[in-house]
Amino acid sequence: MSDEITIESNLRLVEDRIKAACERAGRNPSGVTLVAVSKTKPFSDVLEARKAGAKEFGENYVQEMMDKIEEAENVPDMALVRWHMIGHLQKNKVKYLIGHTALIHSVDSLSLAEQIEKEAAKKDVVMRVLLEVNVAEEESKWGFDTVSVKEAAEKILDFPHVKVLGLMTSAPYTEDPETNRQFFRELNALAHELYDDKLIANQDPDFKLPVLSMGMTGDFEVAVEEGATMVRVGTAIFGNRSYRK
Ligand SMILES: *Cc1c(COP(=O)(O)O)cnc(C)c1O
């Protein structure tokens, strides 16, 4: 046994921290899906995480995601992996993703949803998505506000090839995760409101609904305490990113 820090040891630590947060909140850890955010990291890191048990991977950039998916194609260990698009998505890139990604977390405009509808229709598939909400109303962030997200969800109900499973947010960067608790609580309340109004799908074979994608390295434990069903963790698993694309 060694005390070396590896992707595997990091992954175990993050899982333990999720479990402890669930215990504090009286939740079952099986209700929280860990998405390992591998953006900017090489495929070898993804494979290492997969061998350590990670099954869900999040990427921000379409080209980088498609490169990794292609590399994964000939690797038996990678067969059951699910890829999540979590970054701001340009409409002209949507066509590459359809059929390759399990969930798009970052639908931040109605026109993007329309583009997804168009491309998914061409391939005759239903694309599962989350609506991104800028709960903290940060100028620099993408996403709907808490009012326009409902209007968008109502319109998307008429799109036969787009299914909204829940909501996503990226809370502000902070040294003190407690300051983000209010935003997570707000997203949770909003998602349940939309769910009760039948603006979010009421069943899905692969995801527990409504999906609440919230919490990153700096604040995922608070997010879990506030009901996150999906956390997106990069740095705590893969280490610091050496560059930002
Ligand atoms: C990069 C990123 C993450 C992961 O961030 P870490 O702080 O490294 O855990 C999660 N969500 C989104 C949308 C990101 O862009």
Side-chain angles (χ1 to χ4, degrees):
M1 290 297 285
S2 82
D3 295 331
E4 201 192 337
I5 293 170
T6 62
I7 288 173
E8 181 173 18
S9 70
N10 282 341
L11 190 63
R12 291 292 92 77
L13 216 58
V14 168
E15 288 167 349
D16 287 347
R17 288 168 61 188
I18 290 171
K19 221 185 270 171
C22 283
E23 263 163 38
R24 287 194 295 277
R27 301 186 56 198
N28 186 335
S30 71
V32 182
T33 299
L34 172 60
V35 175
V37 176
S38 46
K39 65 173 179 232
T40 81
K41 298 293 178 181
F43 180 72
S44 55
D45 282 8
V46 174
L47 190 55
E48 202 176 324
R50 173 70 196 108
K51 286 181 173 163
K55 287 192 212 69
E56 320 267 343
F57 292 91
E59 290 282 341
N60 286 52
Y61 312 102
V62 172
Q63 187 58 52
E64 186 181 351
M65 178 187 253
M66 297 316 293
D67 288 346
K68 283 175 183 158
I69 289 174
E70 199 179 317
E71 280 194 82
E73 259 165 26
N74 304 312
V75 183
D77 275 322
M78 294 293 292
L80 296 175
V81 156
R82 294 202 298 197
W83 296 93
H84 298 248
M85 174 45 64
I86 65 172
H88 173 66
L89 187 52
Q90 289 170 310
K91 288 196 261 302
N92 61 352
K93 302 273 176 71
V94 167
K95 56 179 178 286
Y96 303 112
L97 283 183
I98 308 294
H100 297 287
T101 176
L103 188 64
I104 300 175
H105 293 223
S106 43
V107 172
D108 52 16
S109 69
L110 190 60
S111 61
L112 177 59
E114 283 166 349
Q115 184 67 21
I116 295 171
E117 167 60 29
K118 194 170 128 194
E119 295 295 336
K122 276 187 204 164
K123 295 197 167 131
D124 197 22
V125 296
V126 175
M127 186 67 235
R128 295 182 284 194
V129 307
L130 306 179
L131 301 182
E132 180 169 359
V133 186
N134 185 0
V135 192
E137 297 176 5
E138 287 179 282
E139 290 281 342
S140 59
K141 292 259 172 79
W142 301 98
F144 294 100
D145 62 47
T146 53
V147 175
S148 63
V149 70
K150 287 185 202 166
E151 296 161 4
E154 266 168 35
K155 295 201 170 109
I156 297 171
L157 276 185
D158 293 333
F159 295 5
H161 304 89
V162 181
K163 191 157 121 184
V164 176
L165 300 192
L167 303 180
M168 176 270 221
T169 200
S170 290
Y173 177 78
T174 172
E175 295 286 326
D176 175 12
E178 282 299 330
T179 60
N180 282 340
R181 187 180 292 278
Q182 54 177 321
F183 302 126
F184 298 142
R185 199 169 283 179
E186 199 177 333
L187 192 77
N188 187 338
L190 188 60
H192 282 90
E193 209 177 299
L194 266 68
Y195 184 72
D196 291 343
D197 290 346
K198 304 193 165 36
L199 300 177
I200 286 175
N202 66 356
Q203 53 182 341
D204 189 275
D206 295 326
F207 296 96
K208 205 170 156 281
L209 304 180
V211 174
L212 264 178
S213 170
M214 56 189 197
M216 308 172 27
T217 290
D219 56 19
F220 68 87
E221 288 151 301
V222 173
V224 168
E225 288 171 13
E226 294 301 330
T229 68
M230 219 173 252
V231 292
R232 311 178 308 268
V233 179
T235 309
I237 296 172
F238 296 105
N240 287 321
R241 287 178 290 273
S242 52
Y243 64 100
R244 179 84 186 83
K245 272 208 224 169

